[in-house]
Amino acid sequence: MTLSERSGPRAGRGVAVVTGGSRGIGAASARLLARSGWTVCLTYRKEKDAAAEVVRACDAATRAFHAEHGLPGTPTGAIAVAADVEDPASIPAVFTAADSLGQLTVLVNNAGVTDRAARVDEMTVDRLTRMFTINTISVIVCAGEAVRRMSTRHGGPGGSIVNISSAASRLGSPGVYVDYAASKGAVDTFTIGLAREVAGEKVRVNAVRPGIILTDIHATTGDPDRPAQAASSIPAGRPGTADEVADAVAWLCSDGASYTTGAIVDVSGGR
Ligand code: NAP
């Protein structure tokens, strides 16, 4: 049984904003949400062509969902919006663009960065500011925009927020990037607090904590071989795939997770 069959077809599911949807876990999540009936508004920083490719895949998937369930009308097309979340002031425009597609019902707070491996005594204030602005502050700003649109307190229908954390938040990443681990630890704490804050307003808030996943993030930070090298330290014996993380994201967004809020789901092969 597919996710959409479990949840039951409706006249579309509304709009899903996926930050950092041009590549990796965000792209896989955007594609799967589109296959489950959401109209996707994804964001990217600079990979315009990659973002356009994901938009094409999402369009085809949402159309297929409508056809499969005999829903009337043509579904609104997916869009990609350029926004560098290192500047949180760029975020409101993303949600204004998403509003043009319909009612927001999902936010996947995925855009995130690591940095070169370093000890704390080598880290600069610039590095820490960038890390916490992208990984933590912008996650909170995006969630605020989403709550304003989803919460019954603001006249919305409810919805689901999924924050992408990291197994680093419980492992601490000593000698690699303790700053990254701390920025994700803040995401976990924020997830728990916000879930309780808006639970009575039909907004569910959960986090997914990936382990080592096969995406570009490792190359970007100068360690492309990290997944292969770490494989022997992962109980499952291998790194994960972006699609395996997306499965958890999509489930948390589905009606199947209607009583799940404040949860932090490890998708880490036991790591
Ligand atoms: P990725 O393959 O490097 O993709 C990163 C995505 O985020 C891209 O869409 C990128 O846009 C976007 N992005 C990066 N910096 C941005 C910025 N300043 N403003 C806006 N967008 C930005 O990363 P990934 O591995 O899929 O990681 C996604 C999330 O999972 C992150 O939060 C990461 O911390 C978390 N995570 C990953 C792993 C792993 O092993 N891969 C493990 C644990 C947690 P462009 O394409 O335009 O550059």
Side-chain angles (χ1 to χ4, degrees):
M1 187 183 282
T2 66
L3 185 70
S4 56
E5 284 163 351
R6 272 207 305 276
S7 307
R10 293 197 205 130
R13 296 192 186 283
V15 177
V17 166
V18 181
T19 67
S22 48
R23 293 183 288 121
I25 292 166
S29 300
R31 286 190 296 260
L32 187 50
L33 287 171
R35 283 209 294 280
S36 308
W38 273 276
T39 298
V40 169
C41 169
L42 62 87
T43 76
Y44 65 99
R45 179 186 42 169
K46 57 181 171 50
E47 297 292 334
K48 190 175 181 179
D49 292 345
E53 188 56 46
V54 179
V55 163
R56 274 192 289 279
C58 287
D59 271 344
T62 308
R63 270 199 304 276
F65 177 90
H66 273 240
E68 185 187 341
H69 294 290
L71 300 180
T74 310
T76 324
I79 58 171
V81 181
D84 186 341
V85 295
E86 193 174 348
D87 174 14
S90 69
I91 291 171
V94 170
F95 286 83
T96 304
D99 290 340
S100 70
L101 303 179
Q103 171 64 50
L104 185 76
T105 55
V106 159
L107 164 65
V108 182
N109 247 328
N110 167 77
V113 291
T114 54
D115 209 322
R116 303 263 159 186
R119 283 174 45 95
V120 73
D121 42 12
E122 299 162 339
M123 290 175 188
T124 64
V125 171
D126 280 353
R127 167 179 167 137
L128 299 178
T129 303
R130 173 175 175 269
M131 184 81 78
F132 276 81
T133 304
I134 295 171
N135 289 359
T136 310
I137 292 175
S138 286
V139 163
I140 298 173
V141 173
C142 285
E145 292 287 339
V147 166
R148 261 175 236 128
R149 287 159 172 83
M150 295 174 181
S151 163
T152 52
R153 184 189 175 107
H154 294 284
S160 171
I161 298 173
V162 180
N163 299 321
I164 306 301
S165 174
S166 170
S169 74
R170 58 184 164 73
L171 298 172
S173 304
V176 189
Y177 28 61
V178 291
D179 51 349
Y180 171 75
S183 74
K184 293 295 191 178
V187 169
D188 291 356
T189 305
F190 172 65
T191 300
I192 294 165
L194 182 62
R196 292 174 183 177
E197 191 166 295
V198 297
E201 302 167 24
K202 291 196 172 175
V203 181
R204 297 182 298 102
V205 186
N206 296 286
V208 171
R209 270 195 308 220
I212 296 178
I213 308 299
L214 291 163
T215 72
D216 298 342
I217 203 167
H218 310 288
T220 309
T221 52
D223 195 6
D225 299 330
R226 183 161 186 255
Q229 283 167 359
S232 62
S233 71
I234 302 169
R238 64 169 178 87
T241 67
D243 286 335
E244 288 174 310
V245 181
D247 278 330
V249 171
W251 178 73
L252 287 169
C253 295
S254 76
D255 295 347
S258 56
Y259 199 56
T260 302
T261 194
I264 300 177
V265 179
D266 286 300
V267 182
S268 59
R271 188 163 184 267

